[in-house]
Amino acid sequence: MTQELRIALAGLGTVGTGVVRLLEENADEIRARAGRDIRITAVSARDRTRDRGIDIASYAWEDEMAQLAARSDVDVVVELVGGSDGPALALARGALEGGKHLVTANKAMIAHHGAELAAQAEQAGVSLQFEAAVAGGIPVLKGLREGAAANRVERVYGILNGTSNYILSAMEKTGRDFTDILADAQELGYAEADPTFDIEGVDAAHKLAILAAIAFGTRPDFGAVETGGISGVRAADIAQADALGYVIRLIGMTDCAAGEDGKPRLFQRVQPYLVPKSHPLAAVDGPTNAVVVEGNFAGRLLFQGAGAGDGPTASAVVADLVDIARGNPAAPFGLPVASLASSSPADTAERRNRAYLRFVVSDRPGVMAELTAAMRDAGVSIESLIQHGKPEEAGDVLVAIVTHEGPERTVSDALAALAQSDCIAEPPLVLRVLG
Amino acid sequence: MTQELRIALAGLGTVGTGVVRLLEENADEIRARAGRDIRITAVSARDRTRDRGIDIASYAWEDEMAQLAARSDVDVVVELVGGSDGPALALARGALEGGKHLVTANKAMIAHHGAELAAQAEQAGVSLQFEAAVAGGIPVLKGLREGAAANRVERVYGILNGTSNYILSAMEKTGRDFTDILADAQELGYAEADPTFDIEGVDAAHKLAILAAIAFGTRPDFGAVETGGISGVRAADIAQADALGYVIRLIGMTDCAAGEDGKPRLFQRVQPYLVPKSHPLAAVDGPTNAVVVEGNFAGRLLFQGAGAGDGPTASAVVADLVDIARGNPAAPFGLPVASLASSSPADTAERRNRAYLRFVVSDRPGVMAELTAAMRDAGVSIESLIQHGKPEEAGDVLVAIVTHEGPERTVSDALAALAQSDCIAEPPLVLRVLG
């Protein structure tokens, strides 16, 4: 154990340079805690000469990233390139094939190919770790896999995308609309030029699929995540929610129950939720992430911190390296891959919750009667209804409804009945209330 | 690794019975995650026949707790008896001497004797784990030791005592005074018949000493924790704090810096703090615990959950057992004992912060002039001052002062100058503002 642990780094973007800086700045602490030095021996990135504010002259350079996996002076390959397939996946496979440990921050790759890679790691007798793939610097995978290891996990949910949370909390504070705030966020670097993955829930869905697999001992099933984003949320929705005692947060939520055949039915949803103001997640604003793990003995555990950024992500990457240096043999998903169950998606028709429905309707007599009759006929019980906008004005108005708890099926039925109505000006927004 | 892990349980109070229930109810999950069965083989408690709602007939019974350490059918001794010395310590030493792993929830014992026991465990090549000793079900020791392992820890602070937090948040909600709420808390089971350890900060100080040792790689030094409690906090203080934008929480706070000789100067304080309402700890109410770890790369990590109770504490105890079953070789304090530094207590005289000072003064002319002159002469700069109470009434009134940031020395000097004043009716309350 006194030999140094030798690292190859693929990708020198913000996270990669963060890892270089961290290993340098905290070298003393890391040596003491890991029991040996952790040293970068080789790196690869797109551009060798770009100024990154770090000195990479002492590391061997590989033009071809895949070559890192073949080097004899490397014990661990750290993949920080991104993308679910392509070069990242080729490197990951190559590294494990070559008997090297693999550490990655690549949520898309793990969500899509995690089980395959974990099986390969198991066979090769090496570690596969990806703490940085979920919730940045927050050690939530470790918390779930090890800290909560004694529990039957009842559900896991949280704020998994910093960009969306930044936008929603900025909308909340300023009263401004989505597109305005998105433009600001892009300017400030909180949102990317193409923000689709963040604002449409895909990034959160990647993370949720990983959390679900670890929580419930199932194979990651990204394809089955019901995925929605925040682009349909208006300032008016946030104002209605506020008036009713809620904030709106993009939440990834997962739980799991045995079906009639005994096989697991996995519920995975990413969607804006109405979060009661008294709930700890309501106080989470800006680009922060927070994950709640509910265990049958631990109760409600909350893990909160920075969900992205070079420092926090590098912190998680290097925590994995320290674990490997210490010889900690954690299974990536908490169980041997052969023990991971195949799940089916849960049927949500009978899932009970309260819903928030927002309609944009023509402002004319009879509209409210049509809306409420459709609710009644489908068996949806209305808890509160706010008609937003001044009825004397011409044009469309907003109607927001919060339902009593009931099966999701009834809401779907009501919306189906209203789908052909000419009083509905655009597709309604349907959110759930976090209970 | 496929052999079962055999447990001896010392103590069958609420936590002990919780562990028995957990190992039974979650046996399938634990077997899958640990890779083998975890089975209780022997137990010991004060009273064999008491009805605990669990069946202990299948476990060997030892009248003498110490005998558990001598049994050949035991791999791990779980000590849930409590007390820093006496039978608990004797059992712990005996178990490690006998080459058995030791898991304990005993914060007092670890705060006082942790380094000695860790050294003994190291020599014997066995594990010593005590996740349940700090913050109940929250896996914060693991989070700090492993999750934040890549960081230079800048400070650790948090709400470490559920009883105090319950009382303070109940005072906040009801406006009632400490003694009233304490009586309620005792009736409801949130406070013990003798609540001294909880309300005077001793319990939190035990936990803080353990957190500090892991965070900074120092030997636990409970004796050096500056310890204060909540019994001096009045409803009026909470009202003043509220008016100024704060809540009051009992906070354990630790940081560490090298002294001029290069040796660590450890700051450890348990005291009620004024917490800005926008800080995540301000939203933590009831018997919840929450710990913030600030790392130089991870930024601010928050771990929150139930700080006590049979379920959460059992969850942490069994997480340690799962770790042992998996063969995870974590050093109890994150470093080999020989590498733990001896620290000196930090000198707080030059420590800069904002202070809350509350005086009970005679209601007569000249008092305010005397108070403020003492502040001025000591170099204390006043940010806000509230005189509470109706000046036309006879008797004493409250004066609350929040200072600008400055060295603690100046506040001490001002109080020393006022110590002999006959206008001060009782010793002033001095709190700090969490910054």
Side-chain angles (χ1 to χ4, degrees):
Chain A
M1 273 295 183
T2 48
Q3 234 179 336
E4 63 187 5
L5 188 72
R6 298 163 305 175
I7 311 299
L9 206 55
L12 287 170
T14 53
V15 177
T17 55
V19 169
V20 173
R21 280 198 303 114
L22 195 165
L23 286 174
E24 194 166 303
E25 275 184 50
N26 293 356
D28 293 345
E29 284 82 1
I30 289 167
R31 182 184 312 114
R33 293 174 190 152
R36 46 178 170 158
D37 276 310
I38 297 179
R39 189 167 68 86
I40 298 169
T41 51
V43 298
S44 177
R46 234 171 304 174
D47 180 355
R48 184 169 187 174
T49 56
R50 184 156 73 89
D51 181 16
R52 300 173 170 93
I54 53 167
D55 181 11
I56 58 169
S58 61
Y59 316 136
W61 176 270
E62 293 282 1
D63 283 323
E64 287 300 319
M65 194 165 67
Q67 289 304 313
L68 293 174
R71 294 184 64 98
S72 61
D73 61 353
V74 167
D75 304 306
V76 188
V77 171
V78 176
E79 183 277 306
L80 301 171
V81 177
S84 63
D85 294 84
L89 184 60
L91 176 65
R93 287 176 175 154
L96 296 171
E97 237 167 63
K100 316 227 182 286
H101 306 289
L102 179 69
V103 170
T104 176
N106 189 331
K107 58 212 84 166
M109 181 176 77
I110 297 299
H112 283 279
H113 306 290
E116 173 213 319
L117 293 172
Q120 218 191 321
E122 229 172 71
Q123 263 193 322
V126 296
S127 286
L128 165 64
Q129 297 295 330
F130 40 81
E131 183 64 72
V134 177
I138 312 171
V140 64
L141 298 190
K142 184 175 278 289
L144 184 55
R145 196 177 49 202
E146 304 173 28
N151 290 265
R152 184 174 308 140
V153 176
E154 287 164 349
R155 57 177 184 166
V156 176
Y157 59 98
I159 294 170
L160 300 173
N161 182 266
T163 303
S164 295
N165 206 60
Y166 172 85
I167 293 174
L168 288 174
S169 49
M171 288 172 72
E172 196 175 299
K173 278 195 191 96
T174 62
R176 290 164 65 207
D177 242 317
F178 173 77
T179 40
D180 281 10
I181 301 284
L182 173 61
D184 284 5
Q186 287 172 313
E187 205 152 302
L188 290 164
Y190 287 125
E192 305 197 32
D194 178 359
T196 314
F197 264 35
D198 289 320
I199 62 172
E200 296 307 343
V202 180
D203 173 81
H206 286 143
K207 297 166 181 167
L208 187 69
I210 297 170
L211 286 168
I214 297 175
F216 305 115
T218 51
R219 296 172 69 90
D221 189 4
F222 168 70
V225 181
E226 183 191 324
T227 304
I230 62 167
S231 58
V233 176
R234 300 185 175 188
D237 295 310
I238 289 175
Q240 304 299 8
D242 179 62
L244 296 164
Y246 300 95
V247 298
I248 298 183
R249 293 284 178 268
L250 183 68
I251 300 280
M253 161 83 72
T254 179
D255 58 38
C256 190
E260 285 177 10
D261 57 1
K263 297 233 176 96
R265 297 286 183 275
L266 191 59
F267 172 78
Q268 301 178 97
R269 174 180 284 163
V270 172
Q271 202 176 60
Y273 274 73
L274 269 67
V275 177
K277 287 180 185 173
S278 61
H279 192 287
L281 292 186
V284 177
D285 56 12
T288 304
N289 280 197
V291 182
V292 174
V293 175
E294 290 178 357
N296 68 335
F297 275 76
R300 187 162 83 184
L301 299 174
L302 172 72
F303 301 84
Q304 185 173 323
D310 55 343
T313 312
S315 166
V317 167
V318 178
D320 281 347
L321 294 175
V322 171
D323 251 8
I324 291 171
R326 282 171 170 164
N328 182 339
F333 293 101
L335 298 182
V337 176
S339 304
L340 294 173
S342 290
S343 61
S344 315
D347 178 13
T348 56
E350 299 302 325
R351 193 176 180 86
R352 297 180 65 82
N353 45 40
R354 294 162 65 217
Y356 168 88
L357 314 173
R358 185 257 292 149
F359 299 91
V360 180
V361 298
S362 340
D363 186 21
R364 56 173 173 73
V367 170
M368 293 302 282
E370 192 180 339
L371 266 186
T372 51
M375 298 287 155
R376 178 200 59 208
D377 295 346
V380 176
S381 171
I382 293 174
E383 181 186 296
S384 50
L385 185 152
I386 304 179
Q387 179 174 336
H388 185 76
K390 304 178 189 97
E392 70 269 28
E393 272 179 26
D396 300 332
V397 297
L398 295 189
V399 177
I401 292 176
V402 173
T403 72
H404 281 294
E405 189 181 293
E408 297 191 0
R409 172 181 47 77
T410 57
V411 170
S412 310
D413 289 351
L415 297 181
L418 289 165
Q420 302 309 321
S421 163
D422 60 1
C423 73
I424 306 279
E426 58 177 78
L429 179 73
V430 185
L431 309 181
R432 269 83 193 185
V433 178
L434 182 68
Chain B
M1 273 296 181
T2 49
Q3 233 180 337
E4 64 186 8
L5 187 73
R6 299 162 304 174
I7 310 299
L9 207 55
L12 287 171
T14 53
V15 176
T17 56
V19 169
V20 172
R21 281 198 301 114
L22 194 166
L23 286 173
E24 194 167 303
E25 276 184 49
N26 292 357
D28 292 346
E29 284 83 0
I30 288 167
R31 182 184 313 112
R33 294 175 191 153
R36 46 179 170 159
D37 278 310
I38 297 179
R39 190 167 67 85
I40 297 169
T41 52
V43 297
S44 177
R46 234 171 306 175
D47 180 355
R48 185 169 186 170
T49 56
R50 183 156 73 88
D51 181 14
R52 302 175 170 92
I54 54 168
D55 181 12
I56 58 169
S58 62
Y59 314 135
W61 175 270
E62 293 283 1
D63 283 323
E64 288 299 321
M65 194 165 68
Q67 289 304 312
L68 293 173
R71 293 183 65 97
S72 63
D73 61 353
V74 168
D75 304 307
V76 188
V77 171
V78 176
E79 182 276 309
L80 301 171
V81 178
S84 63
D85 294 83
L89 184 60
L91 175 66
R93 286 177 175 154
L96 296 172
E97 236 167 63
K100 315 223 181 291
H101 306 290
L102 178 69
V103 171
T104 176
N106 190 331
K107 59 212 83 167
M109 181 175 77
I110 297 299
H112 283 280
H113 306 290
E116 173 212 319
L117 294 172
Q120 218 191 321
E122 229 172 74
Q123 263 193 322
V126 296
S127 286
L128 165 65
Q129 297 294 332
F130 40 81
E131 183 64 72
V134 177
I138 313 170
V140 64
L141 298 191
K142 185 177 277 290
L144 184 55
R145 198 177 47 202
E146 303 172 29
N151 290 266
R152 183 173 310 139
V153 177
E154 286 164 349
R155 56 178 186 167
V156 176
Y157 58 98
I159 294 170
L160 301 173
N161 183 267
T163 303
S164 295
N165 206 60
Y166 172 85
I167 293 174
L168 287 174
S169 49
M171 288 172 71
E172 195 175 298
K173 277 194 191 96
T174 63
R176 290 164 64 209
D177 243 316
F178 173 77
T179 41
D180 280 12
I181 301 284
L182 173 61
D184 284 5
Q186 286 172 314
E187 207 152 299
L188 291 164
Y190 286 124
E192 305 198 33
D194 177 359
T196 314
F197 265 35
D198 288 320
I199 63 171
E200 296 307 344
V202 180
D203 174 78
H206 285 144
K207 296 166 181 167
L208 187 69
I210 297 170
L211 286 168
I214 297 174
F216 305 115
T218 51
R219 297 172 68 90
D221 189 4
F222 168 69
V225 182
E226 183 191 324
T227 304
I230 63 167
S231 58
V233 177
R234 300 186 174 186
D237 295 310
I238 289 174
Q240 304 299 8
D242 179 59
L244 296 164
Y246 300 95
V247 299
I248 297 182
R249 293 285 178 267
L250 184 68
I251 300 280
M253 161 83 72
T254 179
D255 58 39
C256 190
E260 285 178 12
D261 56 0
K263 298 234 175 95
R265 298 286 183 278
L266 191 59
F267 172 78
Q268 301 178 96
R269 174 180 285 164
V270 173
Q271 201 176 60
Y273 275 73
L274 269 67
V275 177
K277 287 179 186 173
S278 60
H279 192 286
L281 292 185
V284 177
D285 56 10
T288 304
N289 280 196
V291 182
V292 174
V293 175
E294 289 179 356
N296 68 334
F297 275 76
R300 188 162 82 185
L301 299 174
L302 172 72
F303 302 85
Q304 186 173 323
D310 55 344
T313 310
S315 166
V317 166
V318 178
D320 281 346
L321 294 175
V322 171
D323 250 8
I324 290 171
R326 283 171 169 165
N328 181 339
F333 293 101
L335 299 182
V337 176
S339 303
L340 294 174
S342 290
S343 61
S344 316
D347 177 12
T348 56
E350 299 303 324
R351 194 176 178 86
R352 296 181 66 82
N353 46 40
R354 293 163 66 218
Y356 169 87
L357 314 173
R358 185 258 292 149
F359 299 91
V360 180
V361 298
S362 340
D363 185 20
R364 57 171 174 73
V367 169
M368 294 301 284
E370 192 179 341
L371 266 185
T372 51
M375 297 290 155
R376 178 201 60 206
D377 295 346
V380 176
S381 170
I382 294 174
E383 180 185 298
S384 50
L385 185 152
I386 303 179
Q387 179 173 335
H388 186 75
K390 306 180 187 93
E392 69 269 27
E393 270 179 27
D396 300 332
V397 296
L398 295 190
V399 177
I401 291 175
V402 173
T403 72
H404 281 292
E405 189 181 293
E408 297 193 0
R409 172 182 46 77
T410 57
V411 170
S412 310
D413 289 351
L415 297 180
L418 289 164
Q420 301 310 318
S421 163
D422 60 0
C423 74
I424 307 280
E426 58 177 77
L429 179 73
V430 184
L431 309 181
R432 269 83 193 184
V433 178
L434 183 66

